[in-house]
Amino acid sequence: MGAVKLSGTQEANFDGLVGPTHNYAGLSFGNVASARSAERPSNPREAVIQGLKKMRKMRDLGLHQGVLPPQERPYLPLLRRLGFSGTDAQILDKVRQQSPALLASASSASAMWTANAATVSPAADTGDGRVHFTPANLCTHLHRAIETETTARILKAVFPDPSHFVHHPALPSTPMLGDEGAANHTRLCADYDEPGLELFVYGRDADDQPGPQRYPARQTRTASEALIRMHELPRNRALLVQQHPDAIDQGVFHNDVIAVGNREVLLFHEQAFVDSKQMRSWISTHFRGRRRPVFIEVPEAELSVRDAVDAYLFNSQLICTADDSMRMIVARECRDHPRAWATVQKIIDDAANPIAGVDVLDLRQSMNNGGGPACLRLRVVLSEDARAAVSPGSWLTSKRYTDLLAWAEKHYREHLTLDDLADPQLLEESRTALDALTRILNLGSIYDFQRN
Ligand code: SUG
């Protein structure tokens, strides 16, 4: 871990640690990997270690890397609220018998995909010069909707200083305001400390607009419009873009499965948006600063949407390195896919864009649920002062990396099936693990079981 840290205003990544109940329950209709993996046994320990190695790699590349904790699962407060009563063990037994689907929803480790935790607008873009956070309501799926309250609490603990950070409440949890956070939000800028353009991608408008026929569109235009107002973004610096309904119907359940932006670069598939021509022209007109926008549009004839969904090429992270160039961080599935890998090579070889290299990560445990490199991280652009205002225990240091590896080895199982979710011992193990984690990350009592 010797790389020089990037200084000045930079993008930091906050990755979600995989929770001890990581499993494959097939909960996400419209996410083809989730359906394909349903009921397969998982390996939570391998999953959390794969995520930690990813964070370490980012840190080795000189990036500022933070850690967000997993959530308490199975989530007993949900089950009690739905009328199950008795001791924790009795509740788990009842729900296993009466509604295995509810047990699965209450047990998902889905909070690991922190690209869905919140929408974040950097200080340079907002009316009051502070970083704005709005936790996503994730209201299309129960297992995700139950993340919001704890996520809000965690974000406030990690970004506590009101002179730098503003925390909005999540949007009301109703289909009209479906909000899935940063997975449908991209920022382009000439330099991170300058005002940027924020793109808000939605899958659904008013009911009379043509939308996807097969799979749900999770992000609504009405939600994105509210975020623009709440984050005090000037209207000439925020654009609403409609995701292509056909892409959603082919398994593009979030825009980050088909497009990714970093600094001046927007890498996207030809069929990502309803009208990419109009989007490109708006960006070119409104972009300010010492660089020009760079569009990398991958045609369907080169890589189909289906290929993109299989290989997760667009779910790569694009990161800036100390020499001002960029690298792509891709999942192993991308290298294993000949057409996707050819596209990656082409992008790297093309001198018209600043992407100069690629790193490959093994994230198979998360990928099996549709979570690639970009899903696992929440990007937060921070000045040096704002970085100093982040709760110090949330940064990945060499020591914390070693502590977290040892913690995972100690507390996580290597084999988990859906039948195991009702095991009271698993609940106990998870709580013990999370309690120890809040001490490693120095976050105080953020979980319901610690507070009650
Ligand atoms: O919401 N999968 C997640 C994957 C989220 C990926 N995030 C981004 N693209 N930013 C989802 O569909 C699967 C859980 C299961 O089936 O067990 C799941 O929730």
Side-chain angles (χ1 to χ4, degrees):
M1 289 215 197
V4 180
K5 276 279 172 62
L6 292 158
S7 59
T9 297
Q10 297 294 344
E11 185 175 274
N13 288 291
F14 289 80
D15 278 48
L17 266 182
V18 178
T21 62
H22 159 64
N23 70 85
Y24 301 120
L27 295 174
S28 282
F29 182 60
N31 168 345
V32 290
S34 152
R36 205 187 291 134
S37 306
E39 296 181 26
R40 281 167 42 178
S42 63
N43 183 336
R45 189 188 295 176
E46 185 174 63
V48 69
I49 291 173
Q50 286 175 346
L52 278 166
K53 287 188 174 160
K54 168 183 190 279
M55 295 185 226
R56 186 198 153 123
K57 175 75 192 169
M58 294 301 116
R59 193 177 180 272
D60 286 350
L61 287 166
L63 274 77
H64 300 274
Q65 181 64 53
V67 185
L68 296 176
Q71 300 201 2
E72 172 188 349
R73 299 287 182 270
Y75 193 44
L76 269 292
L78 170 73
L79 300 175
R80 289 187 194 280
R81 191 166 146 203
L82 298 181
F84 292 97
S85 58
T87 63
D88 290 347
Q90 287 166 340
I91 290 177
L92 290 170
D93 189 47
K94 285 182 201 165
V95 70
R96 176 180 65 84
Q97 291 183 41
Q98 292 174 30
S99 179
L102 264 186
L103 177 60
S105 288
S107 306
S108 176
S110 55
M112 70 174 90
W113 299 297
T114 52
N116 304 119
T119 304
V120 185
S121 294
D125 297 354
T126 62
D128 64 0
R130 295 185 290 170
V131 184
H132 285 234
F133 296 84
T134 300
N137 62 26
L138 296 164
C139 67
T140 42
H141 294 87
L142 175 63
H143 71 290
R144 305 234 49 188
I146 58 174
E147 295 169 31
T148 307
E149 202 180 316
T150 306
T151 296
R153 210 181 282 154
I154 289 170
L155 290 174
K156 286 178 187 160
V158 175
F159 303 98
D161 180 349
S163 65
H164 288 287
F165 308 119
V166 185
H167 295 276
H168 299 280
L171 296 173
S173 203
T174 168
M176 188 188 177
L177 290 170
D179 176 22
E180 303 263 329
N184 299 304
H185 173 247
T186 305
R187 175 178 191 255
L188 298 174
C189 59
D191 284 293
Y192 287 127
D193 58 349
E194 284 177 24
L197 301 178
E198 296 197 17
L199 310 184
F200 289 82
V201 184
Y202 62 91
R204 239 178 331 130
D205 198 346
D207 284 345
D208 54 348
Q209 298 282 324
Q213 301 298 308
R214 189 168 172 214
Y215 292 142
R218 300 197 197 182
Q219 181 82 29
T220 70
R221 183 183 170 107
T222 312
S224 299
E225 285 170 342
L227 295 167
I228 293 170
R229 282 188 296 271
M230 290 153 67
H231 291 197
E232 301 175 29
L233 304 176
R235 279 319 304 254
N236 62 350
R237 310 202 64 81
L239 182 68
L240 290 151
V241 190
Q242 187 177 356
Q243 205 183 347
H244 208 299
D246 297 349
I248 296 175
D249 279 339
Q250 289 179 79
V252 180
F253 58 98
H254 287 134
N255 183 60
D256 68 3
V257 175
I258 199 93
V260 55
N262 178 48
R263 214 176 55 194
E264 77 278 24
V265 175
L266 186 62
L267 166 63
F268 61 102
H269 189 275
E270 182 185 12
Q271 291 184 5
F273 308 107
V274 167
D275 190 350
S276 36
K277 209 163 147 242
Q278 191 267 333
M279 175 191 72
R280 287 172 73 137
S281 137
W282 186 90
I283 293 169
S284 300
T285 308
H286 292 82
F287 198 88
R288 299 276 175 273
R290 66 179 174 122
R291 295 187 170 93
R292 291 305 302 153
V294 175
F295 300 104
I296 312 173
E297 182 166 346
V298 178
E300 172 77 12
E302 179 181 326
L303 191 75
S304 66
V305 172
R306 206 158 289 277
D307 284 341
V309 170
D310 285 342
Y312 257 47
L313 179 147
F314 298 92
N315 200 259
S316 53
Q317 278 178 254
L318 288 182
I319 58 156
C320 291
T321 46
D323 62 0
D324 254 7
S325 70
M326 291 190 198
R327 296 185 75 77
M328 256 178 116
I329 312 295
V330 305
R332 189 177 120 187
E333 285 72 3
C334 195
R335 188 188 53 197
D336 295 345
H337 191 290
R339 282 188 298 280
W341 192 239
T343 297
V344 170
Q345 296 305 324
K346 195 172 148 198
I347 294 169
I348 290 168
D349 292 344
D350 185 354
N353 74 65
I355 304 171
V358 60
D359 295 287
V360 180
L361 296 176
D362 184 356
L363 297 166
R364 183 62 54 88
Q365 286 288 325
S366 168
M367 283 289 287
N368 285 343
N369 254 338
C375 302
L376 286 159
R377 60 96 168 93
L378 182 67
R379 301 192 274 188
V380 188
V381 171
L382 296 168
S383 65
E384 284 191 16
D385 284 354
R387 276 201 296 279
V390 171
S391 168
S394 298
W395 293 115
L396 190 78
T397 58
S398 251
K399 159 117 179 46
R400 198 159 287 116
Y401 175 73
T402 314
D403 289 350
L404 288 170
L405 272 187
W407 166 83
E409 299 279 357
K410 179 170 176 193
H411 295 285
Y412 278 55
R413 295 189 185 187
E414 290 179 291
H415 189 267
L416 202 68
T417 64
L418 298 183
D419 286 340
D420 297 325
L421 300 176
D423 177 3
Q425 187 57 36
L426 179 70
L427 175 67
E428 202 44 48
E429 285 166 25
S430 305
R431 286 180 177 164
T432 306
L434 297 189
D435 202 40
L437 180 68
T438 47
R439 286 192 294 277
I440 298 174
L441 302 181
N442 204 5
L443 280 177
S445 298
I446 48 170
Y447 297 114
D448 292 71
F449 74 88
Q450 294 173 316
R451 292 150 62 99
N452 297 332

